[in-house]
Amino acid sequence: PATTLFAPDLGLTSRDIDAFSVAPDGSYVFSVDGDNDFEGLEYTEEDLMRYDPATGQASYALRFEELFTCASTYCSSLDLRAAHVMDDGEIWVVFAEEDVVADGVTYAEGSVIGYQPATGAFRQVRASFPGGGAVDAMAVDPFTGNLLVSFEDTDCNTITGISGCEDGDVVELQSDG
């Protein structure tokens, strides 16, 4: 059976969820496709929000505009496309359309970037995908640690080397780290 996790009365009407993950504590961590207000908290499309279904409380998981900047002067905002919260609390994120800078290091568009909130450390989990694949969704297989990725508007065959792979398919890729 299906269950609704978010209902319109939570303030997410007219917004598409770009990134979604369930944190080890059972809270939902997500980002949406534009600026909005959620449970009284203003956020941008770069932010990750946290919603605890047990308490009904919302909070910021991460305010990414405080951590990441565009590498190009022509970039007006970042587009957070995918996120996954690891068991140790590290958050893996992917941005689309622009190279990003974090702590003085430039990461290529589509790179999987790890951020450890406990230490403030960043690392590259995986370099950007061949062919400049636009990641649409990402998760980590809890048994293998491999990335489960769906790509949008790209040639999935070129990115993965899998014959017959189409846009929107979920593919398993070995993680670089």
Side-chain angles (χ1 to χ4, degrees):
T3 302
T4 300
L5 297 178
F6 289 115
D9 64 340
L10 291 177
L12 292 177
T13 55
S14 302
R15 289 288 167 217
D16 292 330
I17 293 178
D18 282 340
F20 183 87
S21 183
V22 178
D25 66 3
S27 62
Y28 306 139
V29 175
F30 64 95
S31 177
V32 297
D33 66 348
D35 300 354
N36 207 344
D37 180 282
F38 179 65
E39 296 288 291
L41 300 174
E42 292 183 15
Y43 62 88
T44 66
E45 68 180 323
E46 300 96 6
D47 292 333
L48 274 178
M49 302 302 294
R50 180 181 304 272
Y51 176 73
D52 185 339
T55 65
Q57 296 296 308
S59 62
Y60 297 109
L62 288 173
R63 302 292 316 262
F64 275 98
E65 73 272 8
E66 297 171 4
L67 300 173
F68 294 93
T69 58
C70 297
S72 164
T73 57
Y74 302 104
C75 172
S76 61
S77 68
L78 296 171
D79 183 7
L80 179 64
R81 295 305 304 265
H84 183 83
V85 181
M86 302 298 289
D87 287 341
D88 67 357
E90 183 177 45
I91 300 174
W92 290 8
V93 295
V94 177
F95 292 97
E97 301 173 11
E98 293 288 338
D99 293 354
V100 298
V101 177
D103 202 25
V105 177
T106 300
Y107 298 92
E109 169 190 351
S111 296
V112 180
I113 304 166
Y115 175 69
Q116 183 54 259
T119 64
F122 295 91
R123 69 183 182 102
Q124 181 168 287
V125 175
R126 182 185 173 93
S128 59
F129 296 94
V135 173
D136 192 40
M138 172 184 70
V140 176
D141 183 313
F143 301 106
T144 66
N146 290 339
L147 293 173
L148 304 174
V149 182
S150 176
F151 297 98
E152 177 185 275
D153 299 330
T154 56
D155 182 357
C156 190
N157 292 305
T158 302
I159 296 165
T160 65
I162 300 172
S163 178
C165 181
E166 297 183 19
D167 296 344
D169 288 354
V170 176
V171 296
E172 183 174 8
L173 302 169
Q174 185 172 4
S175 172
D176 292 347

